[in-house]
């Protein structure tokens, strides 16, 4: 199987169905055996949702609208890293995409991303250009450089939850207007595409990060292991 899309939900009833529908359109030409009867070009994909004990209608809506999707229902909030690792354990794709429930994908976009990653064997982790509802580049979801020591301390103390702009200065130094791919230190977890060989070499996300910073740490590990991280705009 070519691709596994893993989404962690928690009280996501207002956004998850639209996200899942966008995934179907984004995988156009990739193919889904269970959904349309056979893969296109021999490619297959799967959607996996790990719900962190939602108290709203998230799970019910998924079961109603996407009954064939793999769904894990946690009895407690396991955190972002741990829940994604649960999804990885049951996934079959050669590439794994961690995708936030509030992210929307454009038609055919995942086919383009996978085609590019197939050609660029040196890319271990990749993300794409993320825009807001008005189509403008979303700086908050852009690549970041690795933080300095004081920035790490601030993050460990969870101060960004109280002061969201405190570590904004460590946004990556890259040209978001430049088309094509650029190597960066780290990409955001809202769209985080990773080769299975990276996961096999490094194991899963660090579950000590409940919800914040796990993708930065993972990109650091991947680079240390010889893999490259790319932003493809």
């Amino acid at each position: 199987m070519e691709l596994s899309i893993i989404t962690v939900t928690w009280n996501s009833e207002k956004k998850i169905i639209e996200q899942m529908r966008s995934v179907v359109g984004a995988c156009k030409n990739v193919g889904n055996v269970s959904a349309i009867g056979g893969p296109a070009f021999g490619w297959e994909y799967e959607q996996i949702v790990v719900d962190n004990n939602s108290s709203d209608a998230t799970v019910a809506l998924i079961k109603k609208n996407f009954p064939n999707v793999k769904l894990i229902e946690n009895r407690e909030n396991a955190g972002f890293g741990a829940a994604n690792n649960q999804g990885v354990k049951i996934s079959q794709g050669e590439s794994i995409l961690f995708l936030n429930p509030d992210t929307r994908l454009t038609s055919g976009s995942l086919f383009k991303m996978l085609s590019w990653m197939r050609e660029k064997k040196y890319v271990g982790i990749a993300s794409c250009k993320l825009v807001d509802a008005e189509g403008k580049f979303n700086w908050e979801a852009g690549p970041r450089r690795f933080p300095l020591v004081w920035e790490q301390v601030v993050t460990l103390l969870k101060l960004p939850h109280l002061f969201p702009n405190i570590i904004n200065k460590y946004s990556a130094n890259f040209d978001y207007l430049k088309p094509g791919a650029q190597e960066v230190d780290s990409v955001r977890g809202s769209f985080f595409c990773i080769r299975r060989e990276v996961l096999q070499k490094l194991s899963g996300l660090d579950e000590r990060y409940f919800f914040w910073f796990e993708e930065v740490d993972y990109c650091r590990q991947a680079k240390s292991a010889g893999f490259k991280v790319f932003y493809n705009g």
Side-chain angles (χ1 to χ4, degrees):
M1 182 174 288
E2 188 71 21
L3 177 66
S4 297
I5 302 118
I6 301 174
T7 296
V8 175
T9 54
W10 182 75
N11 293 339
S12 306
E13 64 177 9
K14 295 182 179 180
K15 48 198 172 185
I16 185 59
I17 298 306
E18 186 178 349
Q19 184 255 47
M20 295 178 75
R21 286 172 179 159
S22 79
V23 166
V24 175
C27 287
K28 185 178 181 180
N29 293 331
V30 175
N32 186 330
V33 171
S34 62
I36 60 176
F41 309 113
W43 292 20
E44 301 174 43
Y45 76 94
E46 62 181 357
Q47 287 180 271
I48 299 170
V49 178
V50 185
D51 185 73
N52 267 335
N53 195 31
S54 293
S55 59
D56 64 3
T58 297
V59 170
L61 286 171
I62 293 170
K63 289 181 176 179
K64 178 182 178 180
N65 291 277
F66 293 90
N68 294 325
V69 164
K70 294 180 180 180
L71 176 63
I72 297 175
E73 299 178 57
N74 287 332
R75 295 184 178 180
E76 61 182 10
N77 192 335
F80 183 79
N84 272 310
N85 287 340
Q86 286 179 274
V88 170
K89 288 179 181 178
I90 66 170
S91 69
Q92 302 177 58
E94 290 304 309
S95 294
I96 292 91
L97 172 63
F98 298 127
L99 186 70
N100 277 6
D102 60 351
T103 303
R104 307 288 179 268
L105 304 177
T106 57
S107 179
S109 57
L110 289 183
F111 180 76
K112 294 177 182 178
M113 174 65 80
L114 291 177
S115 298
W116 175 75
M117 290 187 71
R118 270 192 167 189
E119 294 177 0
K120 312 300 182 183
K121 300 296 185 182
Y122 52 82
V123 178
I125 298 173
S127 188
C128 61
K129 184 177 182 179
L130 301 175
V131 299
D132 60 22
E134 298 178 352
K136 297 178 181 179
F137 179 75
N138 187 352
W139 279 104
E140 293 184 357
R144 293 182 289 192
R145 62 170 173 77
F146 293 134
L148 302 174
V149 173
W150 75 267
E151 292 167 328
Q152 290 178 304
V153 172
V154 164
T155 301
L156 290 172
L157 293 174
K158 299 184 178 181
L159 292 181
H161 291 287
L162 299 175
F163 308 101
N165 297 323
I166 195 170
I167 55 175
N168 278 359
K169 289 185 178 180
Y170 86 94
S171 295
N173 182 20
F174 79 108
D175 184 359
Y176 76 94
L177 295 175
K178 178 182 176 182
Q182 301 176 59
E183 186 174 2
V184 295
D185 281 351
S186 70
V187 292
R188 300 297 183 98
S190 50
F191 185 107
F192 194 90
C193 194
I194 182 170
R195 293 188 191 276
R196 183 170 292 277
E197 66 176 291
V198 179
L199 286 165
Q200 291 173 335
K201 187 167 185 176
L202 302 180
S203 71
L205 297 174
D206 192 332
E207 298 183 6
R208 291 175 296 178
Y209 296 99
F210 186 78
F211 182 72
W212 190 265
F213 213 65
E214 58 282 307
E215 74 271 35
V216 177
D217 178 68
Y218 206 81
C219 287
R220 178 191 58 79
Q221 293 185 58
K223 279 181 167 286
S224 296
F227 298 100
K228 293 183 180 296
V229 178
F230 269 81
Y231 160 87
N232 191 354

